Amino acid sequence: MERLLVAQTGFLGDVILTTPLLSTLRRELDLESLTVLTTPQARPLVQDHPAVDSVLVDSKREDDRGFLGMLRTARRLRRQRFTLTVAPHKSFRTALLLALAGIPHRVGFRQSPGWFFYHRTAQRDTDRHEVERILCIMRGFGLEPEACGRTPYVAYHSAIQTKAQRFLDEARIAASDPVFIVCPGSVWYTKRWTTAGYSTLVRSLARHYGRVVLCGGPDDVPLAQEIEKQAQVAGLLNLAGRADLQTFMALIDRARVVISNDSAPMHLAVARQVPVVAIFCATTPSLGYGPYSDNAVIVEKKDLFCRPCRRHGGPSCPRGTEECMHLVTAHDVLAGVDKLLRRSALRTAPTSHSQ
């Protein structure tokens, strides 16, 4: 039986999209244990996953940054006596770290800059969704992505529901109130739809649809505060910087629809099987990071020749126009919300049978 380490220290969205691989590895391999190595920020995404036994943290941008930090992490991994490691994160640092840890059997992607550190490599298809690209690593075990479960999934401890409910009670959001979660943030500026757009959206949702909850991490607090100021909506619940990642998952479960940029909340909604309207500005779904769900609507301006300008967006518009952000309207986004609500109504409507 193998002591398996899965090394995924990418962005939050990358970790969410790796969860089908975790389930597949647990099902297909004879494992004594499955441990995930990830970032401190991503730990809540996998610590309660049913396929995962334990989580180790690589603070590669903090305490474990630089070569000496990597050596410290490698020593910690060596003490765990892993017998097998799988690296869906195709960075050179990851490949070198796992080699320094002395793990005797290492599987990674042929396209990794550190491919020569692996004992087995798998071909990563570039023309697939990222969920399937990650699952291409199973070719190292003789399995194609089509033979794998491909549904992202994140879990949280049941006690978290109580914490989420306290926030809703604080805002006097009743169990019968339709809730719409709006996530305006992103690491990359050109992935963010405009503040004015979100403010108009929040006003319309509150006036015609139900209660609105603004969500985001600590870095999103100024943006959420500006949207709240511009929207001037009574009863708006702004939880940016207040709700941790697992509490956010529990809040998502309460939502009728989640509205998000091309960022981690979009993938979290998919992983909790909640309808999502995904707003794409500088990036496009063709890059392989769209919502991996049939219960999602993508809002974008397809006819802009400059999209995508970069793989992950960027800090500024290369043309200086920001058209991909400004040409998306609140009407476009609300049309997506309407489409998902109609679809949900059809799914829950009772089926009539003729006699």
Side-chain angles (χ1 to χ4, degrees):
M1 298 179 73
E2 302 280 8
R3 291 177 55 81
L4 171 64
L5 176 71
V6 180
Q8 175 53 284
T9 59
F11 291 111
L12 296 181
D14 298 317
V15 176
I16 298 165
L17 299 180
T18 301
T19 56
L21 174 65
L22 301 178
S23 301
T24 299
L25 288 165
R26 172 60 78 179
R27 185 182 66 246
E28 297 294 332
L29 303 186
D30 187 15
L31 299 180
E32 176 184 333
S33 62
L34 190 159
T35 299
V36 176
L37 177 70
T38 193
T39 62
Q41 296 78 14
R43 180 174 189 155
L45 297 172
V46 291
Q47 65 187 23
D48 291 308
H49 194 283
V52 175
D53 296 300
S54 60
V55 181
L56 296 175
V57 166
D58 179 11
S59 302
K60 64 180 185 178
R61 293 184 180 87
E62 298 160 13
D63 296 341
D64 298 322
R65 67 183 179 274
F67 186 71
L68 291 178
M70 182 169 57
L71 286 178
R72 287 193 295 271
T73 301
R75 283 196 294 270
R76 291 199 301 271
L77 296 180
R78 189 180 289 270
R79 288 195 292 268
Q80 299 291 322
R81 300 186 181 278
F82 295 110
T83 60
L84 170 67
T85 186
V86 172
H89 190 222
K90 56 185 180 65
S91 76
F92 180 85
R93 182 187 182 278
T94 296
L96 176 57
L97 171 65
L98 298 175
L100 291 171
I103 301 173
H105 299 287
R106 303 186 293 275
V107 182
F109 281 119
R110 200 167 300 159
Q111 287 87 347
S112 168
W115 62 269
F116 47 86
F117 288 119
Y118 296 114
H119 300 97
R120 272 182 282 168
T121 58
Q123 176 68 31
R124 186 177 188 270
D125 296 342
T126 58
D127 58 347
R128 293 175 178 261
H129 189 279
E130 183 67 6
V131 164
E132 297 171 11
R133 291 195 292 236
I134 289 171
L135 284 168
C136 286
I137 200 78
M138 291 303 300
R139 288 171 171 164
F141 303 96
L143 204 65
E144 288 293 319
E146 289 75 14
C148 304
R150 299 189 296 278
T151 303
Y153 176 71
V154 294
Y156 55 86
H157 193 273
S158 57
I160 297 296
Q161 289 178 325
T162 302
K163 191 174 179 181
Q165 188 60 47
R166 280 202 296 267
F167 281 123
L168 299 177
D169 291 343
E170 168 193 311
R172 298 185 179 180
I173 296 177
S176 58
D177 289 336
V179 173
F180 295 82
I181 290 181
V182 176
C183 307
S186 171
V187 173
W188 307 103
Y189 172 74
T190 56
K191 277 188 175 184
R192 296 180 209 147
W193 188 35
T194 63
T195 303
Y198 271 116
S199 301
T200 302
L201 172 70
V202 165
R203 277 197 300 273
S204 295
L205 287 172
R207 187 175 301 150
H208 303 295
Y209 292 78
R211 300 296 300 272
V212 180
V213 180
L214 271 178
C215 288
D219 293 340
D220 301 320
V221 170
L223 174 61
Q225 288 176 340
E226 183 59 28
I227 291 169
E228 181 179 17
K229 178 182 174 182
Q230 291 186 21
Q232 293 292 303
V233 169
L236 173 67
L237 177 56
N238 183 356
L239 293 181
R242 296 177 62 198
D244 60 35
L245 200 51
Q246 287 214 322
T247 306
F248 177 51
M249 295 183 210
L251 289 165
I252 281 177
D253 285 352
R254 181 67 174 78
R256 295 284 300 277
V257 177
V258 173
I259 300 101
S260 169
N261 298 314
D262 171 21
S263 57
M266 172 186 73
H267 299 302
L268 276 172
V270 170
R272 293 304 304 173
Q273 299 184 357
V274 172
V276 60
V277 174
I279 305 169
F280 278 71
C281 296
T283 54
T284 64
S286 64
L287 293 171
Y289 296 95
Y292 198 69
S293 168
D294 62 359
N295 205 13
V297 170
I298 294 168
V299 178
E300 60 181 336
K301 287 303 176 184
K302 294 183 178 181
D303 54 351
L304 291 176
F305 73 92
C306 52
R307 296 177 66 241
C309 57
R310 295 182 181 90
R311 182 167 171 245
H312 291 297
S316 62
C317 172
R319 295 174 57 216
T321 63
E322 299 182 350
E323 284 184 300
C324 63
M325 302 152 70
H326 290 284
L327 291 179
V328 172
T329 68
H331 181 270
D332 298 329
V333 179
L334 288 167
V337 172
D338 286 336
K339 183 175 181 179
L340 290 173
L341 292 175
R342 287 195 302 270
R343 189 181 298 170
S344 295
L346 287 173
R347 287 180 175 177
T348 57
T351 303
S352 61
H353 298 279
S354 57
Q355 297 292 324

